[in-house]
Amino acid sequence: MKNNMGYKTLAITGATSGIGKATVEALANDFDEIILLARNVVKAEILKKDLKKSNLMLKVKVIECNLASLASVEKAALYIQENYDEIDCLINNAGVVSLSKQETTDGYELMMGTNYLGHYLLTHYLMPVLMHSKEPQIVIVSSNAYQFTTLKSNYFKGKGNTMNLYGRSKLATLYFMQELHEQFSGQGLSVTAVHPGAVSTNLGKTKQNEKFGNLVYGIFKPFFLTPEEGAESTVMAVRNKEKYDGMYMHAGKEIIPKVHGRSYYARKRLIGDTIYELYLDGFMER
């Protein structure tokens, strides 16, 4: 799809529920076209209808993309490469919390595989399309859960409790933002990582752990934000890309990561291992 002058396109993962849904609803009038990269295409088609009801001029494209399957990510990204000249903004929003031990299709620990590796590969394939934009932007939804752990070793398939594994995946997304900023800010890319806050959504609930998940949410519900409140940081980052470029941010305020959250050595080790693990030539090489 060829972009006309001023035509703006957004691509987002995980937009069918929670803060992702609240994000696209808030940004529906900021873009001419929204690409919904979704695991559940039925939910995405319903969202597409709702978005178009509120904005008749908005174009919405649904593309199946299961971040827990590298083949699905590659297929979705290649479709975009073939059908879009440029994308102005990519929001890596989708996230999963698994309260039980699970793996991706490719054998990675589910949270690291979905929250980090799937998004890394998606971003890798979309970089050429993004960098065709006059004002390219990437927003990464991270989390202060990164504070719970360091990367340690064997972080793609390693074991651990839920909070450590989730925190590890979010630490990786924080490093990813920092590397993107270091490598591409000079080429005009704006990149921001956001902490949405503790958001009350279906994140983490599965059929296997629904009872336990409901118990956890019941205990912590007074501390949870609504999805709309959780989306505010992402929306602010999209609308103020220069202001928040290179930052880790929540509710419009910069968060300075703890020492391990800005470790140059750990970041470079992660990026090198990711490139090797995914059989890539270099960081976002086009």
Side-chain angles (χ1 to χ4, degrees), residues 13 33 43 46 60 76 80 90 96 99 103 119 123 136 140 150 158 176 179 184 187 196 198 201 214 234 238 253:
T13 64
E33 182 167 0
K43 278 188 176 181
I46 294 169
V60 183
I80 292 175
L90 169 65
V96 62
L99 299 173
E103 293 182 347
H119 277 124
T123 307
I140 294 171
T150 57
F176 187 30
E179 189 72 13
F184 285 93
Q187 299 177 45
T201 70
N214 285 337
T234 303
V238 171
K253 296 180 181 179

PDB file of all heavy atoms in Angstrom, residues 13 33 43 46 60 76 80 90 96 99 103 119 123 136 140 150 158 176 179 184 187 196 198 201 214 234 238 253:
ATOM      1  N   THR A  13       0.819  -4.707  18.096  1.00  0.00           N
ATOM      2  CA  THR A  13       0.564  -6.084  18.523  1.00  0.00           C
ATOM      3  C   THR A  13      -0.321  -6.067  19.765  1.00  0.00           C
ATOM      4  O   THR A  13      -0.322  -5.098  20.528  1.00  0.00           O
ATOM      5  CB  THR A  13       1.879  -6.823  18.858  1.00  0.00           C
ATOM      6  OG1 THR A  13       2.509  -6.183  19.976  1.00  0.00           O
ATOM      7  CG2 THR A  13       2.830  -6.829  17.665  1.00  0.00           C
ATOM      8  N   GLU A  33      -4.404   4.732   8.917  1.00  0.00           N
ATOM      9  CA  GLU A  33      -4.549   3.278   8.828  1.00  0.00           C
ATOM     10  C   GLU A  33      -3.916   2.628  10.045  1.00  0.00           C
ATOM     11  O   GLU A  33      -2.852   3.047  10.511  1.00  0.00           O
ATOM     12  CB  GLU A  33      -3.893   2.741   7.554  1.00  0.00           C
ATOM     13  CG  GLU A  33      -4.051   1.235   7.376  1.00  0.00           C
ATOM     14  CD  GLU A  33      -3.693   0.736   5.991  1.00  0.00           C
ATOM     15  OE1 GLU A  33      -3.313   1.555   5.141  1.00  0.00           O
ATOM     16  OE2 GLU A  33      -3.801  -0.478   5.755  1.00  0.00           O
ATOM     17  N   LYS A  43     -11.270 -11.885  17.204  1.00  0.00           N
ATOM     18  CA  LYS A  43     -11.357 -10.716  18.077  1.00  0.00           C
ATOM     19  C   LYS A  43     -10.894  -9.457  17.349  1.00  0.00           C
ATOM     20  O   LYS A  43     -11.457  -8.371  17.529  1.00  0.00           O
ATOM     21  CB  LYS A  43     -10.489 -10.917  19.330  1.00  0.00           C
ATOM     22  CG  LYS A  43     -11.137 -11.737  20.428  1.00  0.00           C
ATOM     23  CD  LYS A  43     -10.255 -11.676  21.669  1.00  0.00           C
ATOM     24  CE  LYS A  43     -10.894 -12.402  22.834  1.00  0.00           C
ATOM     25  NZ  LYS A  43     -10.050 -12.318  24.051  1.00  0.00           N
ATOM     26  N   ILE A  46     -13.580  -8.091  15.063  1.00  0.00           N
ATOM     27  CA  ILE A  46     -14.608  -7.390  15.844  1.00  0.00           C
ATOM     28  C   ILE A  46     -14.112  -5.997  16.213  1.00  0.00           C
ATOM     29  O   ILE A  46     -14.843  -4.997  16.095  1.00  0.00           O
ATOM     30  CB  ILE A  46     -14.966  -8.192  17.113  1.00  0.00           C
ATOM     31  CG1 ILE A  46     -15.650  -9.504  16.735  1.00  0.00           C
ATOM     32  CG2 ILE A  46     -15.869  -7.370  18.040  1.00  0.00           C
ATOM     33  CD1 ILE A  46     -15.818 -10.487  17.889  1.00  0.00           C
ATOM     34  N   VAL A  60      -8.476  -0.164   8.469  1.00  0.00           N
ATOM     35  CA  VAL A  60      -7.974  -1.115   9.462  1.00  0.00           C
ATOM     36  C   VAL A  60      -7.682  -2.438   8.766  1.00  0.00           C
ATOM     37  O   VAL A  60      -8.519  -2.981   8.062  1.00  0.00           O
ATOM     38  CB  VAL A  60      -8.995  -1.343  10.600  1.00  0.00           C
ATOM     39  CG1 VAL A  60      -8.407  -2.287  11.649  1.00  0.00           C
ATOM     40  CG2 VAL A  60      -9.397  -0.023  11.253  1.00  0.00           C
ATOM     41  N   ALA A  76       3.765 -12.760   8.945  1.00  0.00           N
ATOM     42  CA  ALA A  76       3.068 -11.479   9.102  1.00  0.00           C
ATOM     43  C   ALA A  76       3.943 -10.324   8.629  1.00  0.00           C
ATOM     44  O   ALA A  76       3.487  -9.429   7.913  1.00  0.00           O
ATOM     45  CB  ALA A  76       2.673 -11.272  10.563  1.00  0.00           C
ATOM     46  N   ILE A  80       3.599  -7.547   5.370  1.00  0.00           N
ATOM     47  CA  ILE A  80       3.682  -6.084   5.467  1.00  0.00           C
ATOM     48  C   ILE A  80       4.752  -5.546   4.531  1.00  0.00           C
ATOM     49  O   ILE A  80       4.548  -4.548   3.829  1.00  0.00           O
ATOM     50  CB  ILE A  80       3.944  -5.659   6.925  1.00  0.00           C
ATOM     51  CG1 ILE A  80       2.719  -5.963   7.784  1.00  0.00           C
ATOM     52  CG2 ILE A  80       4.276  -4.162   7.004  1.00  0.00           C
ATOM     53  CD1 ILE A  80       2.910  -5.697   9.269  1.00  0.00           C
ATOM     54  N   LEU A  90       5.365   1.696  15.106  1.00  0.00           N
ATOM     55  CA  LEU A  90       5.171   0.309  15.530  1.00  0.00           C
ATOM     56  C   LEU A  90       5.084   0.306  17.046  1.00  0.00           C
ATOM     57  O   LEU A  90       5.983   0.821  17.726  1.00  0.00           O
ATOM     58  CB  LEU A  90       6.339  -0.565  15.073  1.00  0.00           C
ATOM     59  CG  LEU A  90       6.399  -1.987  15.658  1.00  0.00           C
ATOM     60  CD1 LEU A  90       5.214  -2.821  15.196  1.00  0.00           C
ATOM     61  CD2 LEU A  90       7.720  -2.663  15.282  1.00  0.00           C
ATOM     62  N   VAL A  96       2.521 -11.421  27.687  1.00  0.00           N
ATOM     63  CA  VAL A  96       1.878 -12.542  28.362  1.00  0.00           C
ATOM     64  C   VAL A  96       2.570 -12.768  29.700  1.00  0.00           C
ATOM     65  O   VAL A  96       3.774 -12.601  29.825  1.00  0.00           O
ATOM     66  CB  VAL A  96       1.938 -13.827  27.499  1.00  0.00           C
ATOM     67  CG1 VAL A  96       3.373 -14.271  27.240  1.00  0.00           C
ATOM     68  CG2 VAL A  96       1.154 -14.956  28.138  1.00  0.00           C
ATOM     69  N   LEU A  99       1.361 -18.121  34.516  1.00  0.00           N
ATOM     70  CA  LEU A  99       1.446 -18.561  35.909  1.00  0.00           C
ATOM     71  C   LEU A  99       1.835 -20.033  36.015  1.00  0.00           C
ATOM     72  O   LEU A  99       2.002 -20.561  37.107  1.00  0.00           O
ATOM     73  CB  LEU A  99       0.112 -18.318  36.613  1.00  0.00           C
ATOM     74  CG  LEU A  99      -0.335 -16.851  36.661  1.00  0.00           C
ATOM     75  CD1 LEU A  99      -1.746 -16.740  37.230  1.00  0.00           C
ATOM     76  CD2 LEU A  99       0.626 -16.007  37.462  1.00  0.00           C
ATOM     77  N   GLU A 103       5.926 -23.249  27.014  1.00  0.00           N
ATOM     78  CA  GLU A 103       6.925 -22.952  25.991  1.00  0.00           C
ATOM     79  C   GLU A 103       6.264 -22.439  24.724  1.00  0.00           C
ATOM     80  O   GLU A 103       5.080 -22.693  24.476  1.00  0.00           O
ATOM     81  CB  GLU A 103       7.751 -24.204  25.660  1.00  0.00           C
ATOM     82  CG  GLU A 103       8.627 -24.691  26.790  1.00  0.00           C
ATOM     83  CD  GLU A 103       9.459 -25.895  26.379  1.00  0.00           C
ATOM     84  OE1 GLU A 103       9.185 -26.499  25.305  1.00  0.00           O
ATOM     85  OE2 GLU A 103      10.397 -26.252  27.141  1.00  0.00           O
ATOM     86  N   HIS A 119       8.792 -10.147  19.400  1.00  0.00           N
ATOM     87  CA  HIS A 119       8.794  -8.727  19.050  1.00  0.00           C
ATOM     88  C   HIS A 119      10.121  -8.310  18.399  1.00  0.00           C
ATOM     89  O   HIS A 119      10.138  -7.466  17.502  1.00  0.00           O
ATOM     90  CB  HIS A 119       8.553  -7.871  20.296  1.00  0.00           C
ATOM     91  CG  HIS A 119       7.108  -7.730  20.642  1.00  0.00           C
ATOM     92  ND1 HIS A 119       6.601  -8.077  21.876  1.00  0.00           N
ATOM     93  CD2 HIS A 119       6.058  -7.287  19.911  1.00  0.00           C
ATOM     94  CE1 HIS A 119       5.290  -7.842  21.890  1.00  0.00           C
ATOM     95  NE2 HIS A 119       4.941  -7.360  20.714  1.00  0.00           N
ATOM     96  N   THR A 123      10.222  -6.684  14.726  1.00  0.00           N
ATOM     97  CA  THR A 123      10.857  -5.381  14.511  1.00  0.00           C
ATOM     98  C   THR A 123      11.971  -5.485  13.477  1.00  0.00           C
ATOM     99  O   THR A 123      12.124  -4.605  12.616  1.00  0.00           O
ATOM    100  CB  THR A 123      11.413  -4.832  15.838  1.00  0.00           C
ATOM    101  OG1 THR A 123      10.366  -4.841  16.824  1.00  0.00           O
ATOM    102  CG2 THR A 123      11.935  -3.417  15.676  1.00  0.00           C
ATOM    103  N   PRO A 136       9.942   7.909  11.659  1.00  0.00           N
ATOM    104  CA  PRO A 136       9.682   6.558  12.190  1.00  0.00           C
ATOM    105  C   PRO A 136       9.720   6.519  13.712  1.00  0.00           C
ATOM    106  O   PRO A 136      10.499   7.232  14.352  1.00  0.00           O
ATOM    107  CB  PRO A 136      10.819   5.729  11.586  1.00  0.00           C
ATOM    108  CG  PRO A 136      11.932   6.713  11.366  1.00  0.00           C
ATOM    109  CD  PRO A 136      11.247   7.999  10.994  1.00  0.00           C
ATOM    110  N   ILE A 140       7.777   0.584  22.873  1.00  0.00           N
ATOM    111  CA  ILE A 140       7.865  -0.750  23.457  1.00  0.00           C
ATOM    112  C   ILE A 140       7.217  -0.723  24.846  1.00  0.00           C
ATOM    113  O   ILE A 140       7.616   0.082  25.704  1.00  0.00           O
ATOM    114  CB  ILE A 140       9.331  -1.203  23.564  1.00  0.00           C
ATOM    115  CG1 ILE A 140       9.929  -1.371  22.159  1.00  0.00           C
ATOM    116  CG2 ILE A 140       9.446  -2.495  24.361  1.00  0.00           C
ATOM    117  CD1 ILE A 140      11.428  -1.602  22.145  1.00  0.00           C
ATOM    118  N   THR A 150      17.919 -10.128  37.201  1.00  0.00           N
ATOM    119  CA  THR A 150      18.875  -9.849  36.134  1.00  0.00           C
ATOM    120  C   THR A 150      18.682 -10.937  35.085  1.00  0.00           C
ATOM    121  O   THR A 150      17.893 -11.873  35.285  1.00  0.00           O
ATOM    122  CB  THR A 150      20.317  -9.884  36.665  1.00  0.00           C
ATOM    123  OG1 THR A 150      20.563 -11.155  37.273  1.00  0.00           O
ATOM    124  CG2 THR A 150      20.541  -8.783  37.701  1.00  0.00           C
ATOM    125  N   GLY A 158      15.468 -20.705  30.154  1.00  0.00           N
ATOM    126  CA  GLY A 158      15.730 -20.944  31.565  1.00  0.00           C
ATOM    127  C   GLY A 158      14.504 -21.108  32.437  1.00  0.00           C
ATOM    128  O   GLY A 158      13.395 -20.718  32.069  1.00  0.00           O
ATOM    129  N   PHE A 176      16.350  -3.797  24.665  1.00  0.00           N
ATOM    130  CA  PHE A 176      16.037  -3.686  23.241  1.00  0.00           C
ATOM    131  C   PHE A 176      15.797  -2.224  22.869  1.00  0.00           C
ATOM    132  O   PHE A 176      16.300  -1.723  21.859  1.00  0.00           O
ATOM    133  CB  PHE A 176      14.817  -4.551  22.921  1.00  0.00           C
ATOM    134  CG  PHE A 176      14.471  -4.659  21.465  1.00  0.00           C
ATOM    135  CD1 PHE A 176      15.446  -4.578  20.480  1.00  0.00           C
ATOM    136  CD2 PHE A 176      13.155  -4.872  21.058  1.00  0.00           C
ATOM    137  CE1 PHE A 176      15.119  -4.690  19.130  1.00  0.00           C
ATOM    138  CE2 PHE A 176      12.822  -4.983  19.727  1.00  0.00           C
ATOM    139  CZ  PHE A 176      13.807  -4.889  18.765  1.00  0.00           C
ATOM    140  N   GLU A 179      19.125  -0.356  22.841  1.00  0.00           N
ATOM    141  CA  GLU A 179      19.949  -0.680  21.671  1.00  0.00           C
ATOM    142  C   GLU A 179      19.412  -0.023  20.408  1.00  0.00           C
ATOM    143  O   GLU A 179      20.177   0.504  19.591  1.00  0.00           O
ATOM    144  CB  GLU A 179      20.029  -2.202  21.498  1.00  0.00           C
ATOM    145  CG  GLU A 179      21.033  -2.663  20.461  1.00  0.00           C
ATOM    146  CD  GLU A 179      22.489  -2.492  20.892  1.00  0.00           C
ATOM    147  OE1 GLU A 179      22.744  -2.244  22.099  1.00  0.00           O
ATOM    148  OE2 GLU A 179      23.373  -2.620  20.021  1.00  0.00           O
ATOM    149  N   PHE A 184      19.986   3.636  16.076  1.00  0.00           N
ATOM    150  CA  PHE A 184      19.167   4.242  15.021  1.00  0.00           C
ATOM    151  C   PHE A 184      18.705   5.677  15.276  1.00  0.00           C
ATOM    152  O   PHE A 184      18.096   6.283  14.400  1.00  0.00           O
ATOM    153  CB  PHE A 184      17.936   3.370  14.751  1.00  0.00           C
ATOM    154  CG  PHE A 184      18.241   2.127  13.977  1.00  0.00           C
ATOM    155  CD1 PHE A 184      18.516   0.944  14.640  1.00  0.00           C
ATOM    156  CD2 PHE A 184      18.290   2.144  12.581  1.00  0.00           C
ATOM    157  CE1 PHE A 184      18.822  -0.215  13.932  1.00  0.00           C
ATOM    158  CE2 PHE A 184      18.586   1.002  11.864  1.00  0.00           C
ATOM    159  CZ  PHE A 184      18.865  -0.183  12.533  1.00  0.00           C
ATOM    160  N   GLN A 187      19.634   8.064  12.699  1.00  0.00           N
ATOM    161  CA  GLN A 187      18.964   7.910  11.402  1.00  0.00           C
ATOM    162  C   GLN A 187      17.505   8.375  11.454  1.00  0.00           C
ATOM    163  O   GLN A 187      16.733   8.134  10.528  1.00  0.00           O
ATOM    164  CB  GLN A 187      19.043   6.450  10.941  1.00  0.00           C
ATOM    165  CG  GLN A 187      20.473   5.954  10.755  1.00  0.00           C
ATOM    166  CD  GLN A 187      20.526   4.492  10.376  1.00  0.00           C
ATOM    167  OE1 GLN A 187      19.773   4.022   9.521  1.00  0.00           O
ATOM    168  NE2 GLN A 187      21.414   3.742  11.026  1.00  0.00           N
ATOM    169  N   PRO A 196       3.427   0.680  31.846  1.00  0.00           N
ATOM    170  CA  PRO A 196       2.008   1.034  31.871  1.00  0.00           C
ATOM    171  C   PRO A 196       1.402   1.108  33.261  1.00  0.00           C
ATOM    172  O   PRO A 196       0.319   1.660  33.441  1.00  0.00           O
ATOM    173  CB  PRO A 196       1.353  -0.096  31.062  1.00  0.00           C
ATOM    174  CG  PRO A 196       2.250  -1.271  31.290  1.00  0.00           C
ATOM    175  CD  PRO A 196       3.650  -0.707  31.405  1.00  0.00           C
ATOM    176  N   ALA A 198       0.347  -1.250  36.856  1.00  0.00           N
ATOM    177  CA  ALA A 198      -0.302  -2.544  37.070  1.00  0.00           C
ATOM    178  C   ALA A 198      -1.711  -2.466  36.510  1.00  0.00           C
ATOM    179  O   ALA A 198      -2.571  -1.791  37.060  1.00  0.00           O
ATOM    180  CB  ALA A 198      -0.328  -2.880  38.559  1.00  0.00           C
ATOM    181  N   THR A 201      -6.166  -6.628  33.477  1.00  0.00           N
ATOM    182  CA  THR A 201      -6.628  -7.189  32.201  1.00  0.00           C
ATOM    183  C   THR A 201      -6.591  -8.701  32.307  1.00  0.00           C
ATOM    184  O   THR A 201      -6.359  -9.258  33.369  1.00  0.00           O
ATOM    185  CB  THR A 201      -5.727  -6.734  31.026  1.00  0.00           C
ATOM    186  OG1 THR A 201      -4.452  -7.377  31.161  1.00  0.00           O
ATOM    187  CG2 THR A 201      -5.543  -5.229  31.012  1.00  0.00           C
ATOM    188  N   ASN A 214      -7.598 -15.611  38.950  1.00  0.00           N
ATOM    189  CA  ASN A 214      -8.684 -14.805  39.520  1.00  0.00           C
ATOM    190  C   ASN A 214      -8.393 -14.449  40.977  1.00  0.00           C
ATOM    191  O   ASN A 214      -8.707 -13.351  41.447  1.00  0.00           O
ATOM    192  CB  ASN A 214     -10.010 -15.561  39.427  1.00  0.00           C
ATOM    193  CG  ASN A 214     -10.560 -15.576  38.015  1.00  0.00           C
ATOM    194  OD1 ASN A 214     -10.230 -14.722  37.206  1.00  0.00           O
ATOM    195  ND2 ASN A 214     -11.389 -16.571  37.711  1.00  0.00           N
ATOM    196  N   THR A 234       1.579   4.932  26.694  1.00  0.00           N
ATOM    197  CA  THR A 234       1.830   4.617  25.284  1.00  0.00           C
ATOM    198  C   THR A 234       1.324   5.733  24.385  1.00  0.00           C
ATOM    199  O   THR A 234       2.018   6.172  23.462  1.00  0.00           O
ATOM    200  CB  THR A 234       1.153   3.289  24.899  1.00  0.00           C
ATOM    201  OG1 THR A 234       1.626   2.241  25.746  1.00  0.00           O
ATOM    202  CG2 THR A 234       1.437   2.931  23.449  1.00  0.00           C
ATOM    203  N   VAL A 238       3.484   8.141  21.787  1.00  0.00           N
ATOM    204  CA  VAL A 238       3.197   8.245  20.350  1.00  0.00           C
ATOM    205  C   VAL A 238       3.011   9.712  19.947  1.00  0.00           C
ATOM    206  O   VAL A 238       3.522  10.144  18.900  1.00  0.00           O
ATOM    207  CB  VAL A 238       1.938   7.428  19.983  1.00  0.00           C
ATOM    208  CG1 VAL A 238       1.506   7.713  18.548  1.00  0.00           C
ATOM    209  CG2 VAL A 238       2.203   5.930  20.171  1.00  0.00           C
ATOM    210  N   LYS A 253       6.511  10.897  32.819  1.00  0.00           N
ATOM    211  CA  LYS A 253       7.737  11.156  33.574  1.00  0.00           C
ATOM    212  C   LYS A 253       8.778  10.083  33.278  1.00  0.00           C
ATOM    213  O   LYS A 253       8.468   8.893  33.257  1.00  0.00           O
ATOM    214  CB  LYS A 253       7.433  11.191  35.080  1.00  0.00           C
ATOM    215  CG  LYS A 253       6.516  12.335  35.487  1.00  0.00           C
ATOM    216  CD  LYS A 253       6.258  12.319  36.978  1.00  0.00           C
ATOM    217  CE  LYS A 253       5.306  13.459  37.378  1.00  0.00           C
ATOM    218  NZ  LYS A 253       5.019  13.443  38.836  1.00  0.00           N
TER     219      LYS A 253
END
